[in-house]
Amino acid sequence: MTLAWVELKRSYSGTYLGIFWRPLSATIVGLTLGLVYSIILQQPRGDYIPYVITGLVVWSFTSQLIIEGGKLFYANASQIKEVPLSYFSYIYKYLLRNSISLILSFMPVIIVLTYYGQIADSRFFQTIIGIIIVSINGFWISIVLGIATLHLKDLSELTANFMRLVFFITPVLWTPEMAGAKGEIIVYNPLFYYLDVIRSPLIGHEINGNSYAVTSIISIFGIVLAYFVYNKYRDKISFMV
């Protein structure tokens, strides 16, 4: 927790607002895109702006877990070579840092939901369950993708570009209903389900019937895969970074 907090503050060192740039950035981007696209797509602001700002915050959390997970080991190469810490320490640090960022980014979300009268419909317990599910996947992704990136450094850039592409085919700024019959394509996008288990209960929407099933199956498969990958390469990581 200490390492995660120090690293987060260091990323904003030299600024007057410090870590409060995180919620401020979420507010500026979320409200701007929400206002602009509510006009372009002719959507009621009271429903659309909370949907967009919440979606952007959750997407940022999910995508950062994936992108940073791939960089985990070589980003901490100097510490891994010099300090005899468990590799899980770096994984916990990265999960906690992103969780703190998510909590900070939720500040404008709560304000927006309160302003538009949707806070009473929020189901925070289900939202917490969704965050735990996504974090579990961040755990195994950091192991599998982190070790894979040690073999092929280009995976880091490929992952970042892949996430930028998937952003546009994931219902962050649009709803499946807006796409009509073609909106059914989201069932083939696993990131939709991770977005759904956090955002839907937070804004008072019903969670997709398949979201928990899909995320649970992927989580179990991922943990099993990470177990075998970690056991195979655990003794080689310090030489590969």
Side-chain angles (χ1 to χ4, degrees), residues 145-181:
L145 192 57
I147 291 176
T149 304
L150 293 179
H151 287 279
L152 182 64
K153 295 294 192 299
D154 297 276
L155 273 178
S156 176
E157 291 300 322
L158 285 172
T159 302
N161 283 283
F162 174 76
M163 294 306 296
R164 294 189 192 102
L165 173 63
V166 175
F167 173 81
F168 294 102
I169 59 175
T170 304
V172 179
L173 301 178
W174 52 276
T175 66
E177 292 74 21
M178 293 180 188

Side-chain angles (χ1 to χ4, degrees), residues 30-240:
L31 289 179
T32 302
L33 290 178
L35 287 169
V36 171
Y37 278 90
S38 65
I39 297 172
I40 295 175
L41 300 175
Q42 298 181 349
Q43 297 294 312
R45 293 181 182 179
D47 294 327
Y48 186 71
I49 291 179
Y51 180 87
V52 168
I53 192 170
T54 308
L56 288 171
V57 167
V58 177
W59 174 263
S60 176
F61 174 63
T62 306
S63 62
Q64 285 301 108
L65 286 181
I66 296 173
I67 294 171
E68 290 185 13
K71 301 176 181 179
L72 181 68
F73 293 118
Y74 78 76
N76 294 281
S78 59
Q79 294 96 322
I80 289 174
K81 292 177 180 178
E82 297 173 6
V83 184
L85 283 177
S86 167
Y87 297 126
F88 288 111
S89 299
Y90 302 105
I91 298 174
Y92 297 146
K93 180 185 70 172
Y94 124 95
L95 289 175
L96 285 168
R97 187 182 70 250
N98 282 287
S99 296
I100 294 170
S101 296
L102 177 66
I103 293 171
L104 290 171
S105 299
F106 270 158
M107 292 168 60
V109 172
I110 299 300
I111 294 173
V112 169
L113 289 175
T114 303
Y115 179 80
Y116 285 107
Q118 294 188 12
I119 194 68
D121 298 324
S122 299
R123 301 187 297 276
F124 293 105
F125 181 72
Q126 284 185 284
T127 300
I128 293 172
I129 293 175
I131 294 172
I132 293 172
I133 291 173
V134 174
S135 298
I136 290 172
N137 283 267
F139 180 85
W140 72 258
I141 285 173
S142 66
I143 295 175
V144 175
L145 192 57
I147 291 176
T149 304
L150 293 179
H151 287 279
L152 182 64
K153 295 294 192 299
D154 297 276
L155 273 178
S156 176
E157 291 300 322
L158 285 172
T159 302
N161 283 283
F162 174 76
M163 294 306 296
R164 294 189 192 102
L165 173 63
V166 175
F167 173 81
F168 294 102
I169 59 175
T170 304
V172 179
L173 301 178
W174 52 276
T175 66
E177 292 74 21
M178 293 180 188
K182 295 181 180 179
E184 295 179 358
I185 194 174
I186 64 170
V187 300
Y188 303 106
N189 182 356
L191 289 175
F192 158 70
Y193 300 105
Y194 291 102
L195 186 70
D196 187 52
V197 294
I198 299 178
R199 176 170 64 181
S200 290
L202 190 58
I203 59 177
H205 291 186
E206 290 299 321
I207 297 176
N208 184 284
N210 297 321
S211 291
Y212 283 131
V214 172
T215 53
S216 298
I217 291 171
I218 295 176
S219 299
I220 294 171
F221 174 79
I223 290 172
V224 172
L225 177 62
Y227 174 80
F228 288 106
V229 171
Y230 183 74
N231 282 337
K232 182 176 180 179
Y233 291 101
R234 177 175 53 190
D235 298 329
K236 303 176 183 178
I237 292 176
S238 59
F239 301 98
M240 295 167 64

